[in-house]
Every structure is written in structure tokens, then in C-alpha cells.
Amino acid sequence: MNFDLRFPIGLLFSLYGGLLVVYGAFVSDKAIYERSLGININLWWGVVMLVFGTGMLLLAVRGSKKS
């Protein structure tokens, strides 16, 4: 059985990161970011999660090609 845990983790983080990026960029109101000194926390953490998820997916694809 050849199960790579990086693939579902990458999918999960990419999905949630993409949702946060869309919410932070287009849906959310600017007033909710007053407590965070005007920093769009949803957008930035969405980008971080999207990059991490994409990295995990790339590692999973690269690992499956070697075996």
C-alpha cells in the first residue's frame, strides 16, 4: 500500500487557504480588522496556508514519481 500523507494534508491546507484568501480579499468588511491594527489577518494566513498546502502537494507528487 502506497499512501502518502502529504497529499491529503496538502489538499486540506490548500482548500482552507484558498477559502481564507477569497474571504479576506473580497468578502470581509474592513471594520473587523481594527482590532488587528488594520492587518487583514484572514488574507495573510490564507496565503500562508495556501503556500504550505501547495508545497505539500508538490512534495507528494515528487515523492510519488520516485517510487
Side-chain angles (χ1 to χ4, degrees):
M1 185 164 174
N2 196 9
F3 178 70
D4 192 0
L5 191 58
R6 292 176 289 196
F7 189 73
I9 290 174
L11 282 176
L12 180 78
F13 274 90
S14 295
L15 176 69
Y16 286 150
L19 287 173
L20 273 177
V21 166
V22 169
Y23 179 77
F26 301 113
V27 179
S28 65
D29 186 24
K30 304 294 183 211
I32 65 173
Y33 301 115
E34 289 176 7
R35 292 179 58 187
S36 62
L37 303 175
I39 299 170
N40 193 339
I41 299 296
N42 291 322
L43 178 66
W44 286 107
W45 273 107
V47 168
V48 169
M49 290 174 71
L50 194 58
V51 167
F52 177 74
T54 304
M56 292 296 276
L57 286 173
L58 290 174
L59 288 173
V61 169
R62 191 181 88 183
S64 68
K65 288 183 180 178
K66 286 185 178 181
S67 54

